[in-house]
Amino acid sequence: MGVGHSSVSLSLDPISIAAFTAEPKPKPSCFFNTHCKKSVFPTKKNSLFVGFSLKFESLNCGKVAGEMDTEKGIDVANKSILDFHGIDDRLIRKMEFDALVWSSLHGLVVGDRNFQRSGQVPGVGMVHAPIALLPMSFPKSHWKQACELAPIFNELIDRVSLDGKFLQDSLSRTKKVDAFTSRLLDIHSKMLEMNKKEEIRLALHRADYMLDEKTKLLLQIELNTISSSFPGLGCLVTELHRTLLNEYGEDLGLDSKRIPSNTAVGQFSEALAKAWTEYNNPRAVALVVVQTEERNMYDQHWLCTMLKERHNVRTVRKTLAEIDREGQLLPDGTLLVDGQAIAVIYFRAGYAPTDYPSESEWRARLLMEQSSAIKCPSISYHLAGSKKIQQELAKPNMLERFLENKEDIVKLRKCFAGLWSLDDLDIIRKAIDKPELFVMKPQREGGGNNIYGNDVKETLLQLQKEGSEEDAAYILMQRIFPTVSPTILMRDGICHKEHAISELGIYSAYLRNNEKVIMNDQCGYLMRTKIASSNEGGVAAGFAVLDSIYLT
Ligand code: ADP
Ligand code: MG
């Protein structure tokens, strides 16, 4: 049986981003140093936003308009400016001004770290999100490839999540040395003991890729199964870039129709609304689990606003500590928070150790997992997205354990970079010899945790010396080297010409109720662009800016 794509058509709406650490650790060398983390477009008549010409609905997601292949399109492509650093300074100033006004008027904003309350109170201390002034070129063939992979990965993660023994066994060594993963596994074990079944399963993923310049291979960086961020702001960046090209495209030799439309936030809200409908309690609401401070709150508010305006589903925002205080489980499994029944739990927190400063937060996570509410993600989906599982799945014959369709397996394997556990002595020797060709990753999310360059060598030598089991905390990954492009990046109202590399994230949604797959779609995208000399890539963590793509 093949993967049950409800749609693999590239005319689907593309989507947006991933998770970012609670406590970003910008490096001193990091140029972009803003907190921002992990949108939306109401269509109803009474919408607050109806005055804006945001035509997210009408955009033809994933597809570049027909003109692209016409003579005119080719002409435009031929004279396009690929080197953005060659653009006339006066034109840059005009676009910069327009971009800043547009971002302010359309909610392409994050909390400004210079304002103390900007992470707590909406409407206080906002600054435009860090963005690229113009879209990054990206080959159409690789774009299509990334979109086609989305429903296959959705199905794979679902199958993996059902194999509790595989998850526990694969992470058993990690468990001994990584307290955070160990706590997640404990909750998972409890669910296995209780024989807890998640009949309705909802996923809002983002798969991240880099295009390796030398091999021209699209290689997966990771798959985010929890807190995939920027579905809201990502869509807005796409709209901003289209707007700029509609205005200045002639001067630049660029055609706005080559930017694929992005309806990530629309499709994410649709998936959440469909899950809410499956839960079948009209009085229940969606619970958004948030961090105590969240400068990326507007990205989340876009999604919740759309859920309300398009689908009439209400949300409540609660921290893990609040859920512990106000949460209650009824005998039938219903989760009440502050007396309110919860249909769907959408996590925008809970992926990092810093989200669990005390036992209270862990109690809240367990309480939610025990309930009948639909979790996005469930503990098993969360674990299935860990880096260790990514590495296990890359082993020979592993995909065959979960998927039957041979073509799907070939497609997935093609995007796997080299991935190894640290009990592979041969690869350890190679990594010590040429550390610049590897990235060392612990079981963490949110950016700023990986080890690069000479630190790989030093950490490996140290681990060898200690001879402990600490090595099980990490995996090794082949380092990917994308093409370096001249770009213009904006932060705090100022443009900077930089040489940069990019990472493409493809959003996807998956919803099933028992045997019925209700949604399995690619849902939009998020390009993140960072200066070439930076190792890490998180926008929230201050390393990257939000971008869109220009298909070539
Ligand atoms: P996190 O869960 O913290 O986001 P990632 O695996 O996505 O962890 O790594 C963080 C960043 O590090 C990525 O966004 C990317 O910029 C960079 N990175 C990760 N893996 C690689 C790799 N194999 N080659 C090159 N850069 C990488
Ligand atoms: Mg990442």
Side-chain angles (χ1 to χ4, degrees), residues 222 387 441 445-447 450 452 478 480 503 530 536-537:
E222 66 159 343
K387 290 168 176 75
K441 299 188 177 185
E445 300 296 326
N450 297 340
Y452 302 87
Q478 162 199 350
I480 303 160
E503 180 172 351
K530 60 175 184 176
E536 283 286 334

Side-chain angles (χ1 to χ4, degrees), residues 138-139 142 209-213 216-218 480-483:
F138 197 82
H142 288 106
Y209 303 91
M210 277 182 175
L211 183 52
D212 189 59
E213 184 176 36
K216 299 276 177 286
L217 288 174
L218 179 85
I480 303 160
F481 295 97
T483 304

Side-chain angles (χ1 to χ4, degrees), residues 487-517:
T487 53
I488 304 170
L489 310 182
M490 283 180 77
R491 206 178 264 274
D492 290 327
I494 301 167
C495 273
H496 304 273
K497 291 182 178 174
E498 297 290 347
H499 286 92
I501 55 175
S502 296
E503 180 172 351
L504 176 67
I506 300 288
Y507 293 98
S508 63
Y510 186 84
L511 175 65
R512 87 185 271 159
N513 189 345
N514 285 306
E515 291 311 302
K516 192 165 126 219
V517 177

Side-chain angles (χ1 to χ4, degrees), residues 139-183:
K140 195 177 170 187
S141 56
H142 288 106
W143 158 247
K144 278 189 170 175
Q145 184 191 345
C147 294
E148 277 175 19
L149 287 169
I152 312 174
F153 269 118
N154 282 349
E155 194 68 44
L156 175 68
I157 294 293
D158 190 63
R159 304 271 177 101
V160 169
S161 79
L162 296 174
D163 193 336
K165 185 167 171 352
F166 169 74
L167 290 171
Q168 288 283 339
D169 289 351
S170 303
L171 289 159
S172 60
R173 279 196 71 225
T174 312
K175 185 175 167 59
K176 291 189 195 153
V177 292
D178 181 335
F180 178 63
T181 307
S182 175
R183 294 297 301 257

Side-chain angles (χ1 to χ4, degrees), residues 54 97-108 236 239-240 243:
L54 287 174
F97 181 82
D98 287 3
L100 291 173
V101 172
W102 194 98
S103 302
S104 312
L105 296 184
H106 293 81
L108 178 45
L236 287 167
E239 270 325 286
L240 167 65
T243 305

Side-chain angles (χ1 to χ4, degrees), residues 26 78 95 130 157 167 190 201 241 274 365 401 427 476 492 503 524:
N78 286 345
M95 291 191 293
I157 294 293
L167 290 171
K190 283 204 177 90
R201 303 194 289 276
H241 286 162
K274 284 187 169 160
R365 182 75 192 255
R401 182 167 163 176
I427 211 70
L476 268 173
D492 290 327
E503 180 172 351

Side-chain angles (χ1 to χ4, degrees), residues 1 40 64 103 118 148 186 236 259 267 276 283 286 308 319 363 383 401 407 415 433 457 484 491 505 515 534 547 549:
M1 192 188 76
V40 181
V64 213
S103 302
S118 65
E148 277 175 19
D186 286 344
L236 287 167
I259 302 175
Q267 286 182 277
W276 178 86
R283 283 177 309 282
K308 175 77 187 107
T319 63
R363 271 196 306 270
L383 290 169
R401 182 167 163 176
E407 282 172 27
C415 80
D433 190 33
K457 179 178 167 178
V484 176
R491 206 178 264 274
E515 291 311 302
S534 161
D547 203 347
I549 58 177

